[in-house]
Amino acid sequence: MSSPSVALVGLDCVFPGAPGPDAYWDLLMRGGDATGEQPGPRRFGPGYETPVRGGFIDDADVFDNDFFTVSPREAAAMDPQQRLLLQCAWRALEDSGRSPRSLAGGDTGVFVGMMGSEWGQLHLGDYGRVTPQLGAGSSAGMAANRISYHLDLKGPSLSVDTACSSSLVAVHLAVNSLLSGECGTALAGGVNLVLTPALGLVYAQMGLASPDGRCRPFSADANGIARSDGVGVVVLRRLEDALADGQRVYAVIRGTAVNQDGRSNGVTAPNRHSQREVVAAAYRRAGVTPGQVRFVEAHGTGTALGDVIECGALGEVHGVPREEPCAIGSVKGNLGHTEGASGIAGLIKVALALHHRIVPASRYADRENPQLRLAERGLALLKAPVRLPAGEVVAGVSSFGMGGTNAHAVLAAAPRTARGGRRRAAAAPAGVFTLSADTPEALRRNLAAQAEAVAARPRGDAAALCWTSNRVKTGLPYRAAFTATDTVELAAALRAAAEDGRLAAGIADRAWRPPVIGFLFTGQGVQEPGMTAALYRQSPLYRRRLDEADAALAPHLGGSVRDLLLGGDPALHRTRWAQPALFAVGHALAATLTGLGAGPHVVLGHSVGEFAAAVAAGVLTLEEAARLVAERARLMDALPEGGGMLSVRAGREEVEEFLTAGPGVSLAAVNGPRNTVLSGGLAELERVAGVLRGRGVHCRAVGVSHAFHSPLMDPVLEPLAAAAAGIAPAAPRIPVASTRYGRLLADEPMDGAYWAGQAAGPVLFADALADLVARTAPTALVEIGPAPQLIQLAGRSGLADGIRLLHPSPGRDATARDLAETVAALYRSGLEPQWDELYEPVWRTTERLPPYAFSTEHRFWHAGAARPLVSPGPAASPASSPASSSPAASPAGAAAGPVPAPAEGGGSGGSDGSADPVLAAVVGAVVEVGEYAPERVDRNSRFYEDLGFDSVMIMQLKDRIETSLPQAGGIAVQQLLPALRSVGTLADFVGEWISVGVRP
């Protein structure tokens, strides 16, 4: 591209007869007519005595207020244009291949075009019903700010009103903001809802209104404008940024221009010269000539004067020698005139045409208006769909405002991008498909939508779908995650979960906070030839980490432990190789999980497992630990054989009688309340085993070559300490639970003396685990080793409920799928993994997923939009508040069940305040201020996260409480704020204020 360009990477829209982009494209391709009679519920107020025809979207009153944490009172007061924009913006961001939550706090800009607020005209004239919510909800300027506020976007945020060109002017401003570096991502869009007949009457009086409610652009039958609803939002990024991030590009905006008619025949009269100049200016900025422009989506309102002037202006630009005329059309023939949203309707049409490489026919083009003289002007109506050639194709979009503000944008087909490589059909990788929602019911609804979409695909690998879901469908509190290799398996898993009314445990969780992860590193005895070989083949990340550990060990071993391990060599059971192999596997698994964003918050190593734990905690470098492990293994392997270890299902006190000083039988490990390990000579251990078995105690010989953790290790202690003498261990970056001391390390160094004592002394695993759990409160314990051992011990140790026990490599034949399932479980627990590391680059390609399926349960229309608060009596209760007794104030579907929140103690009586008059009054005030259904609010409801309270509502709440409880008067707002964690904490504060009689 010769000039800086902007990529259109995501879009969403709702137009008459087209509830989404796919339906919009279908409407365009079949040349459909989406106009019709205005729905009866929309005809409120004077002027609608006779039916009105135009373009009207379905369910303009539907809004998922709970998703955006908007109270019913505020939702009912909001201009439905704002509500439509919020949901449209969310879907557009998802379509761009990014989770909207991932942009929170960043510099994303929001630019919205709209022609005022007919909602405000309907409601703000009744001064007795004006409220703060209605004031903000009726402001056209707030439309962009709403999006920025609810999505926490910190870039420019502004609404534009240039009449019919508003949304294309918004795109122009967004493009310039991106190119100037003011923002990194921009949302640009427009919205229009026909709520009053006023503008239609203006059009009629100006001679512009179509008598039969249809726009016929450039047709001999053109007879005026038909008003129409619509909303559309596009996501824009600088082209180089979009390509670097691997985003799908619908089209490229090469240049835009905006100008004004100035002093023309009248403030509402179009000016051909200005229209010509805005098109020419856009071409200059885009670095294109008129002859390169293949088609133009014209303003094309279907008015006699407007069509003639626009074609004259386009002809002056495009009447140049060219192989074929420039094709023109206008979507207003399908939709009617969406006014403030008309520019975005045209822009999305052109972007889709470039993306699909076919331009839809223009409705009513079959009867071309001869007065337009199109042929002599180098123009031609789109009378049939036109296939676009390969390579770059350039198109234009025009939008002109009634007051003379003109806009034009130049778009081009997206550049071809090289694929990351060839996908191997033989071994489809296991991916994790993620989905999140704001409630369990919403999760089920979205599971069903995704299941249907995946099932409609041809059978194929699921990895790219999974990767896309990791980028797009995360960030909300209720989470589901599924491991799958192909689309058939994935569709079945999604469908089964959607049909499970309970959302079975293990599939979906409520993630309140990120998990606290503890790594448990396995010790000797579980090694097996070929362990993790399948994982090594399937996971590039694990492969890199095991190679890294092998390279660190090789100089000290005189060979490759990796090759021995992968080759299934039984020599792996020899201590010389077993300990380095376990260290290599432990380090590789820990580093793999850390690379996936699932690193530990605390570590514990069992015997030789402490070396990999020390590396994970930053105490030792990989090279230092590798040298020590290799030397430890060499020294121990050189000891005389004849020793062994015995696992006993009994407590320490039950084996105390067998423990002797010297080389007899020693306590080697305490793994649990009834799990100890003895170490010593084989004959002595056999004798002890016989006695214990005679008492009915289960005993099992451990598969080791020597009597580890016993006095028989004494010959290796001094040389082992000497080998570690040159190492200066660092302070741990994270807590280390020492199995030598049976507790978290304080300031004890893991130096030569530590490692010598660790080799000879008992492994106090049970004590170390108990201290780890008590002091760090982990929510997940992950075994880092080739077979499940420590998580089984942990599971029998009496852990508190809610601690997940996970293992990414649970056995010799473990695969990358087991690793993926561990990451999926941690994601459900609240982790935000580094998903890219789970997939090779070839699978990191964006696939189109269905957008978030918002609830359609709640409807908000004008009836209860602006009901002011009415002072209740002193003993108002939720059951008698106006919010519950007035149908107009309680929109249909507002009662959606209790708001999910963590249980909270304190206070007395039922959660609804049934036995606590103060709590009952506070609940009643909350119900009144937010217009929530009474059953929706209890003491656990959180003001900000669950109820959507803001500073205005807090002031209203304070007034309501003081009216209901006069004895609570005098509370300052600053005193109230710390108590606003939940309804219950506020009630406790107010109750204490009343009982103590505190006054400022």
Side-chain angles (χ1 to χ4, degrees):
M1 298 291 175
S2 57
S3 58
S5 299
V6 167
L8 195 161
V9 296
L11 55 85
D12 187 73
C13 59
V14 178
F15 292 115
D22 290 342
Y24 184 41
W25 182 246
D26 177 69
L27 176 73
L28 295 172
M29 285 302 296
R30 60 184 169 82
D33 179 5
T35 61
E37 192 172 298
Q38 187 176 31
R42 296 273 292 271
R43 300 179 202 155
F44 42 80
Y48 282 124
E49 290 78 11
T50 58
V52 173
R53 186 179 177 87
F56 305 101
I57 64 175
D58 296 328
D59 300 322
D61 56 341
V62 169
F63 179 52
D64 192 349
N65 63 300
D66 288 333
F67 181 88
F68 293 100
T69 323
V70 174
S71 72
R73 171 179 289 277
E74 186 172 12
M78 285 170 63
D79 186 336
Q81 294 183 120
Q82 296 184 17
R83 306 195 298 245
L84 289 169
L85 277 168
L86 268 176
Q87 297 187 165
C88 193
W90 183 278
R91 292 189 296 257
L93 283 171
E94 284 199 338
D95 188 59
S96 75
R98 303 171 80 184
S99 165
R101 290 284 191 239
S102 70
L103 299 176
D107 67 354
T108 297
V110 182
F111 303 83
V112 170
M114 58 189 295
M115 284 176 55
S117 172
E118 294 187 358
W119 183 261
Q121 297 170 23
L122 285 169
H123 296 99
L124 288 178
D126 186 350
Y127 302 147
R129 295 174 65 83
V130 169
T131 65
Q133 287 81 10
L134 183 59
S138 300
S139 166
M142 290 288 288
N145 305 156
R146 285 276 185 196
I147 298 171
S148 299
Y149 171 76
H150 284 286
L151 303 188
D152 192 22
L153 308 178
K154 303 294 181 68
S157 182
L158 53 99
S159 299
V160 181
D161 183 358
T162 58
C164 309
S165 60
S166 297
S167 54
L168 199 59
V169 171
V171 170
H172 168 78
L173 295 173
V175 166
N176 287 336
S177 181
L178 284 164
L179 296 180
S180 71
E182 190 175 40
C183 62
T185 299
L187 291 168
V191 64
N192 195 64
L193 277 182
V194 180
L195 299 179
T196 76
L199 194 53
L201 295 173
V202 171
Y203 290 159
Q205 292 172 18
M206 294 175 69
L208 302 176
S210 167
D212 59 356
R214 290 183 175 88
C215 292
R216 295 178 174 84
F218 313 119
S219 170
D221 301 322
N223 61 1
I225 292 172
R227 298 190 66 200
S228 180
D229 301 336
V231 58
V233 173
V234 296
V235 183
L236 306 175
R237 297 194 73 199
R238 289 180 289 271
L239 179 60
E240 62 268 27
D241 295 339
L243 295 177
D245 285 352
Q247 289 180 285
R248 175 190 57 239
V249 177
Y250 283 98
V252 175
I253 300 178
R254 295 278 299 273
T256 62
V258 170
N259 74 0
Q260 231 288 327
D261 286 349
R263 184 84 175 176
S264 59
N265 291 336
V267 70
T268 61
N271 185 314
R272 186 180 73 184
H273 304 293
S274 292
Q275 290 183 10
R276 176 196 66 206
E277 285 305 312
V278 79
V279 174
Y283 289 176
R284 288 194 299 273
R285 292 182 184 179
V288 302
T289 63
Q292 293 175 265
V293 179
R294 183 68 184 81
F295 66 98
V296 171
E297 171 66 13
H299 187 59
T301 57
T303 60
L305 179 62
D307 285 359
V308 168
I309 289 179
E310 181 172 13
C311 288
L314 288 172
E316 290 183 27
V317 177
H318 294 93
V320 297
R322 51 191 299 157
E323 292 183 6
E324 55 186 8
C326 177
I328 65 171
S330 172
V331 73
K332 294 177 182 66
N334 307 95
L335 304 178
H337 191 352
T338 54
E339 298 172 334
S342 62
I344 204 69
L347 185 85
I348 292 175
K349 174 186 172 181
V350 171
L352 291 174
L354 292 169
H355 178 66
H356 294 292
R357 305 200 77 85
I358 185 169
V359 189
S362 187
R363 187 172 175 81
Y364 302 115
D366 55 328
R367 282 180 46 79
E368 180 180 319
N369 183 353
Q371 296 181 16
L372 303 179
R373 298 163 34 219
L374 296 180
E376 64 185 80
R377 288 170 165 164
L379 306 173
L381 278 180
L382 281 157
K383 297 182 179 181
V386 174
R387 291 207 169 270
L388 299 175
E392 186 178 58
V393 177
V394 179
V397 185
S398 288
S399 193
F400 306 139
M402 182 184 290
T405 299
N406 309 306
H408 191 83
V410 179
L411 279 70
R416 293 179 63 88
T417 55
R419 302 288 275 186
R422 246 182 115 151
R423 295 181 178 177
R424 298 184 302 275
V432 177
F433 190 92
T434 51
L435 200 61
S436 64
D438 63 320
T439 66
E441 180 53 43
L443 189 58
R444 282 192 289 274
R445 184 171 63 247
N446 280 274
L447 284 166
Q450 296 299 326
E452 181 180 358
V454 174
R457 288 173 169 264
R459 182 166 194 160
D461 298 330
L465 277 175
C466 291
W467 179 79
T468 303
S469 74
N470 303 155
R471 285 170 60 93
V472 175
K473 298 293 185 177
T474 56
L476 298 173
Y478 284 90
R479 301 172 170 210
F482 309 87
T483 349
T485 56
D486 64 40
T487 53
V488 173
E489 179 188 13
L490 177 57
L494 290 166
R495 188 181 300 110
E499 292 170 356
D500 179 4
R502 298 171 294 106
L503 279 182
I507 296 298
D509 288 338
R510 171 59 157 107
W512 291 108
R513 58 189 64 85
V516 177
I517 302 170
F519 277 6
L520 309 180
F521 290 81
T522 317
Q524 194 169 345
V526 295
Q527 70 276 358
E528 192 174 359
M531 59 185 180
T532 73
L535 179 60
Y536 182 88
R537 290 192 302 270
Q538 296 172 12
S539 170
L541 181 56
Y542 179 77
R543 189 158 55 245
R544 288 199 304 272
R545 295 307 191 178
L546 189 66
D547 289 348
E548 163 183 280
D550 183 62
L553 286 163
H556 312 293
L557 294 175
S560 169
V561 71
R562 175 201 60 205
D563 294 348
L564 194 76
L565 185 156
L566 298 177
D569 194 324
L572 193 74
H573 287 299
R574 288 191 55 189
T575 297
R576 178 191 170 194
W577 295 107
Q579 292 186 7
L582 288 168
F583 168 77
V585 167
H587 167 75
L589 285 173
T592 296
L593 285 172
T594 300
L596 287 164
H601 300 93
V602 59
V603 295
L604 178 156
H606 193 287
S607 187
V608 72
E610 278 203 299
F611 288 92
V615 175
V619 175
L620 299 177
T621 66
L622 173 61
E623 290 71 21
E624 290 170 342
R627 180 162 65 84
L628 283 178
V629 167
E631 181 65 8
R632 184 183 195 264
R634 185 191 66 80
L635 290 168
M636 291 184 176
D637 188 65
L639 289 172
E641 295 185 359
M645 304 179 80
L646 183 72
S647 176
V648 180
R649 196 170 295 172
R652 178 173 182 167
E653 65 285 352
E654 296 178 67
V655 300
E656 193 72 37
E657 63 181 282
F658 304 108
L659 304 179
T660 59
V665 175
S666 302
L667 182 67
V670 180
N671 290 329
R674 296 192 55 76
N675 193 314
T676 56
V677 179
L678 303 179
S679 185
L682 292 177
E684 289 85 350
L685 289 178
E686 185 59 35
R687 177 183 63 80
V688 171
V691 175
L692 289 171
R693 290 187 182 114
R695 297 174 183 175
V697 177
H698 177 78
C699 300
R700 177 182 59 84
V702 181
V704 294
S705 57
H706 294 79
F708 301 114
H709 299 285
S710 78
L712 293 177
M713 294 291 107
D714 287 352
V716 311
L717 303 187
E718 188 174 335
L720 181 60
I727 294 175
R733 292 193 300 263
I734 56 175
V736 175
S738 166
T739 51
R740 180 188 176 190
Y741 298 130
R743 56 171 171 78
L744 295 187
L745 286 178
D747 54 0
E748 301 92 344
M750 299 182 84
D751 55 10
Y754 180 91
W755 296 114
Q758 187 253 19
V763 179
L764 303 178
F765 173 79
D767 294 340
L769 179 65
D771 198 48
L772 180 155
V773 170
R775 295 173 60 184
T776 65
T779 56
L781 295 174
V782 183
E783 179 151 8
I784 305 297
Q789 183 189 62
L790 302 185
I791 56 172
Q792 293 178 355
L793 296 174
R796 295 194 292 266
S797 68
L799 293 176
D801 292 339
I803 299 179
R804 290 180 179 270
L805 301 176
L806 305 171
H807 197 175
S809 180
R812 183 180 184 275
D813 298 323
T815 66
R817 187 185 189 104
D818 297 293
L819 174 66
E821 286 177 349
T822 297
V823 178
L826 291 171
Y827 164 76
R828 289 192 295 265
S829 298
L831 182 74
E832 298 296 346
Q834 297 295 320
W835 290 110
D836 281 5
E837 296 297 331
L838 196 63
Y839 308 88
E840 293 184 70
V842 68
W843 299 105
R844 298 179 208 157
T845 58
T846 302
E847 298 283 339
R848 194 148 182 251
L849 297 174
Y852 189 87
F854 290 104
S855 170
T856 58
E857 183 180 4
H858 301 182
R859 292 179 179 270
F860 303 93
W861 209 233
H862 82 297
R867 187 183 56 79
L869 289 172
V870 179
S871 297
S877 68
S880 62
S881 70
S884 61
S885 59
S886 168
S890 185
V899 177
E904 195 170 346
S908 60
S911 63
D912 60 352
S914 56
D916 182 342
V918 173
L919 178 58
V922 171
V923 169
V926 171
V927 166
E928 173 83 6
V929 170
E931 272 188 8
Y932 283 106
E935 62 269 25
R936 184 67 197 282
V937 181
D938 61 27
R939 68 171 292 112
N940 296 324
S941 302
R942 299 170 298 172
F943 282 104
Y944 305 115
E945 298 91 337
D946 298 330
L947 301 174
F949 268 56
D950 57 20
S951 57
V952 171
M953 296 174 73
I954 294 300
M955 291 300 299
Q956 293 174 323
L957 179 66
K958 177 180 179 293
D959 292 342
R960 305 315 303 147
I961 291 173
E962 291 180 347
T963 301
S964 300
L965 299 169
Q967 59 272 51
I971 301 177
V973 173
Q974 291 79 2
Q975 294 170 307
L976 203 66
L977 291 177
L980 292 173
R981 295 189 303 276
S982 70
V983 171
T985 57
L986 177 59
D988 293 343
F989 170 78
V990 173
E992 182 179 356
W993 176 278
I994 292 172
S995 64
V996 175
V998 178
R999 290 292 180 270

